[in-house]
């Protein structure tokens, strides 16, 4: 008896954190782009973005970025940025999907710019985690053009309530409630389901 069936899904977003990317426009303003293709390896973040997006144009020309991580309570503001683009020369594919051009993403979403420490794009004040970085490498992937972006982290800033008690540089995973996207739907984390053996390793050993 077969226990699995073969399918050919158009997307493979099984569940990753939502990130609002801040990048610098040509006129010095900050563009915001919501994504959910992101993972981290050590002090490097790897992002997946559309190659024709305003964000792609910005990181090619001005390779500085902020990864703003929203908590679940910011889902309404994040959703306002869906189907928006900072690129006035919108691609036909985006137009067909219902995107509209928005120049001021902060105002459109009801969010507030916050000064960054090591890069020029502003952070999102309401997001409890800001990860600043510089673009280390760009990789074009497949057709239609997609862009994998390697970001070297230069600074991390968090809301104080996320700090693990007794530790200056650790985040309490029981307090951090990231917004997650799975197959185009928003979700949050539940309670911890099981102790992890990996948690017996001191985080400083990864530094």
């Amino acid at each position: 008896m077969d226990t699995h069936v073969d399918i050919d899904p158009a997307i493979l977003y099984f569940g990753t954190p939502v990130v609002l990317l801040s990048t610098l426009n040509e006129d010095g303003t900050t563009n915001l782009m919501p994504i959910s293709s992101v993972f981290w390896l050590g002090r490097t973040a790897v992002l997946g973005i559309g190659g024709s997006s305003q964000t792609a144009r910005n990181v090619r020309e001005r390779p500085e970025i902020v990864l703003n991580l929203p908590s679940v309570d910011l889902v309404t503001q994040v959703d306002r940025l869906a189907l928006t683009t900072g690129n006035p020369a919108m691609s036909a594919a985006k137009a067909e999907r219902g995107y509209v051009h928005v120049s001021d993403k902060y105002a459109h979403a009801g969010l507030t710019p916050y000064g960054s420490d090591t890069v020029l794009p502003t952070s999102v004040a309401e997001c409890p985690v800001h990860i600043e970085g510089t673009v280390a490498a760009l990789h074009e992937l497949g057709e239609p053009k997609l862009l994998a972006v390697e970001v070297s982290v230069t600074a991390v800033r968090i809301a104080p309530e996320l700090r693990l008690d007794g530790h200056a540089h650790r985040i309490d995973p029981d307090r951090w409630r990231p917004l997650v996207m799975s197959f185009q739907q928003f979700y949050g984390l539940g309670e911890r389901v099981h102790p992890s053996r990996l948690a017996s390793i001191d985080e400083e050993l990864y530094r």
Side-chain angles (χ1 to χ4, degrees), residues 7 9 11-16 180-183:
I7 66 170
I11 58 175
L12 294 171
Y13 295 113
F14 281 89
T16 48
V180 174
M181 176 159 280
S182 177
F183 291 100

Side-chain angles (χ1 to χ4, degrees), residues 73-206:
D73 60 315
L74 292 174
V75 63
T76 300
Q77 291 91 328
V78 171
D79 196 43
R80 289 176 188 147
L81 292 173
L83 302 181
T84 67
T85 177
N87 188 351
M90 192 186 317
S91 68
K94 281 194 171 181
E96 183 181 7
R97 295 171 187 170
Y99 279 74
V100 295
H101 171 246
V102 173
S103 57
D104 188 344
K105 298 284 191 72
Y106 280 104
H108 186 80
L111 297 169
T112 311
Y114 185 100
S116 298
D117 295 329
T118 63
V119 296
L120 290 176
T122 54
S123 304
V124 177
E126 290 80 4
C127 287
V129 178
H130 303 157
I131 301 175
E132 301 176 13
T134 57
V135 176
L138 299 171
H139 307 276
E140 291 196 353
L141 306 175
E143 294 287 351
K145 290 297 184 187
L146 300 172
L147 201 62
V149 183
E150 293 182 41
V151 178
S152 296
V153 173
T154 56
V156 179
R157 182 172 52 244
I158 66 168
E161 61 268 20
L162 296 185
R163 197 197 309 256
L164 183 65
D165 292 340
H167 296 270
H169 302 293
R170 291 183 61 179
I171 293 172
D172 188 338
D174 288 325
R175 297 176 183 171
W176 170 225
R177 286 293 176 260
L179 183 62
V180 174
M181 176 159 280
S182 177
F183 291 100
Q184 301 190 97
Q185 299 294 336
F186 291 115
Y187 296 89
L189 293 183
E191 296 300 314
R192 191 187 313 186
V193 297
H194 193 279
S196 168
R197 293 181 184 179
L198 284 176
S200 66
I201 301 173
D202 188 339
E203 282 190 18
E204 289 300 314
L205 295 178
Y206 292 103

Side-chain angles (χ1 to χ4, degrees), residues 36-65:
S36 60
S37 296
V38 58
F39 66 94
W40 286 266
L41 292 169
R43 299 283 294 183
T44 297
V46 182
L47 319 173
I49 62 175
S52 64
S53 66
Q54 183 66 25
T55 295
R57 178 179 178 180
N58 286 349
V59 297
R60 286 187 178 108
E61 298 176 1
R62 291 164 293 279
E64 297 184 346
I65 198 165

